[in-house]
Amino acid sequence: MQEVFLKLWLQRSGLTEIENPAAWLVRLSSNMSLSHLQRQAIHSKAVSKLSSQSPQTSISIEAEIDLKKIQAHIADAVNSLPEKRQQVYKLSREGGLNRKQIADRLGLSESTVKNQLSTALKHIQEHLEKNYGIYLPLFLLSSIIRS
């Protein structure tokens, strides 16, 4: 519908020449819908043809290799953290402890643990972006680290 109204707007100077605007709008909508469906069918056919030509295992192997590379870069970023922040981070992500458990174990307040984790994640994100050109939002970074 947006495309129909866009085309209508773009052709507004010639609208006065149209004898039956309602029929013209129906025809325009119909033609644009058919064009969209044809493009979508061609796209679907091309995607299915490509997916049948390349085995899924190669895609999953490539994705796994990429994930391992990213995890290695993350490990490098973690190793560049200050010792205490690194310890808090590892207890959380690798040890699976929550903030209260970490705070109890290290003798810190929960807010300090929360701040250290937040700072660590931001540092890792910036490290990846600066050194490897990899931009990962924090929510994605958290899921990659835990997998």
Side-chain angles (χ1 to χ4, degrees):
M1 286 304 292
Q2 289 178 345
E3 290 179 24
V4 171
F5 284 113
L6 177 63
K7 190 155 191 151
L8 174 71
W9 180 255
L10 292 174
Q11 295 180 357
R12 67 185 178 274
S13 60
L15 291 179
T16 55
E17 301 169 8
I18 297 173
E19 294 178 20
N20 188 349
W24 181 80
L25 270 176
V26 168
R27 175 59 68 190
L28 178 64
S29 300
S30 173
N31 288 342
M32 291 187 79
S33 296
L34 286 174
S35 294
H36 175 74
L37 290 173
Q38 287 172 340
R39 283 192 310 268
Q40 192 172 10
I42 290 169
H43 176 74
S44 297
K45 191 183 285 185
V47 167
S48 67
K49 191 173 186 177
L50 283 175
S51 66
S52 69
Q53 288 177 352
S54 63
Q56 290 294 335
T57 56
S58 68
I59 293 172
S60 64
I61 290 171
E62 288 176 20
E64 193 170 324
I65 290 170
D66 288 343
L67 180 62
K68 296 232 184 266
K69 283 181 184 178
I70 291 172
Q71 286 173 331
H73 295 322
I74 290 170
D76 182 42
V78 169
N79 290 333
S80 70
L81 290 169
E83 185 180 337
K84 201 67 159 175
R85 189 170 299 148
Q86 194 177 125
Q87 190 178 16
V88 168
Y89 174 82
K90 285 182 177 181
L91 286 171
S92 170
R93 297 304 190 251
E94 295 170 12
L97 301 178
N98 63 33
R99 288 188 297 222
K100 180 163 178 30
Q101 293 168 327
I102 296 169
D104 291 342
R105 184 175 284 186
L106 298 178
L108 302 170
S109 70
E110 281 188 63
S111 62
T112 300
V113 171
K114 179 181 175 183
N115 291 337
Q116 290 293 322
L117 284 173
S118 175
T119 304
L121 285 171
K122 285 179 188 174
H123 170 79
I124 293 168
Q125 183 182 34
E126 290 168 0
H127 183 86
L128 291 174
E129 198 169 346
K130 178 181 169 192
N131 296 315
Y132 304 107
I134 301 171
Y135 172 73
L136 294 174
L138 290 177
F139 70 88
L140 183 58
L141 184 61
S142 295
S143 66
I144 287 174
I145 292 167
R146 289 185 175 160
S147 61

